[in-house]
Amino acid sequence: MAGATQNHVAIYAGSFDPMTNGHLDVLRAGIRLFDHVIVAIGMHPGKAPLFDFEQRKAMIEGVAEDQAFGAMVSVIAFDNLLVDTARTHGANIILRGLRDGTDLDYEMQMAGMNETMAPDIQTVFVPSSPAVRTITATLVRQISRMGGDVRSFVPPNVLKQLQKIHAKH
């Protein structure tokens, strides 16, 4: 159809416990590429996160506000198949970041499975910027827990929350 437009809504899933500069790097790419990005925080019953959903949501919304992403970003929780969550929220793209070849191998498997279950939802990979490729939320949590300086790895509002939570212990 000539002149028809389609909204490109991406869903970007992860634990975001906490949000890192690596996550922000992928989110920035998503904002440049798509009309809207839904940040989907995975809720896993067997895991005890450092931050609960509301805390993670507030940190991500704070980062989005600081970056002037505004209404281009929304934050949700999910505990089912990502493709089902994507459909429920009107997303037609799954956004994934790639740090290295190990990520690529895993993400290609996931993309293949998702495509089989939901051929109408496209997976898009974006490479991480070199400066953030080594950052993982797991390492940030460990370094922070042990009193290390994580300011190079997380946005300022996340750093404040990490300092607050570790000051209690």
Side-chain angles (χ1 to χ4, degrees), residues 70-152:
M72 294 182 72
V73 173
S74 57
V75 182
I76 62 166
F78 80 104
D79 63 359
N80 58 339
L81 290 173
L82 182 57
V83 292
D84 292 341
T85 301
R87 281 191 179 120
T88 298
H89 292 276
N92 52 358
I93 297 153
I94 295 173
L95 174 64
R96 301 299 296 162
L98 297 175
R99 291 176 294 209
D100 58 24
T102 303
D103 281 356
L104 177 63
D105 290 344
Y106 173 77
E107 293 295 343
M108 287 297 290
Q109 289 176 333
M110 292 299 298
M113 299 295 280
N114 287 334
E115 183 179 357
T116 299
M117 292 184 290
D120 55 316
I121 299 173
Q122 177 70 49
T123 299
V124 173
F125 301 123
V126 295
S128 296
S129 298
V132 299
R133 283 195 182 134
T134 59
I135 301 172
T136 69
T138 300
L139 290 175
V140 167
R141 286 192 308 271
Q142 290 172 347
I143 293 166
S144 179
R145 189 177 302 123
M146 296 169 76
D149 184 1
V150 295
R151 80 183 73 228
S152 299

Side-chain angles (χ1 to χ4, degrees), residues 15-20 23 47-51 56 135-148 150 153-154 158 162 165-166:
S15 66
F16 304 99
D17 187 35
M19 182 177 204
T20 68
H23 294 127
K47 291 188 177 182
L50 181 60
F51 294 103
R56 288 182 272 175
I135 301 172
T136 69
T138 300
L139 290 175
V140 167
R141 286 192 308 271
Q142 290 172 347
I143 293 166
S144 179
R145 189 177 302 123
M146 296 169 76
V150 295
F153 310 129
V154 296
V158 174
L162 283 165
I165 204 164
H166 291 304

Side-chain angles (χ1 to χ4, degrees), residues 25-43:
D25 186 59
V26 173
L27 183 57
R28 275 190 192 118
I31 292 298
R32 286 191 302 268
L33 294 169
F34 309 115
D35 300 313
H36 187 82
V37 177
I38 301 164
V39 178
I41 299 173
M43 307 306 290

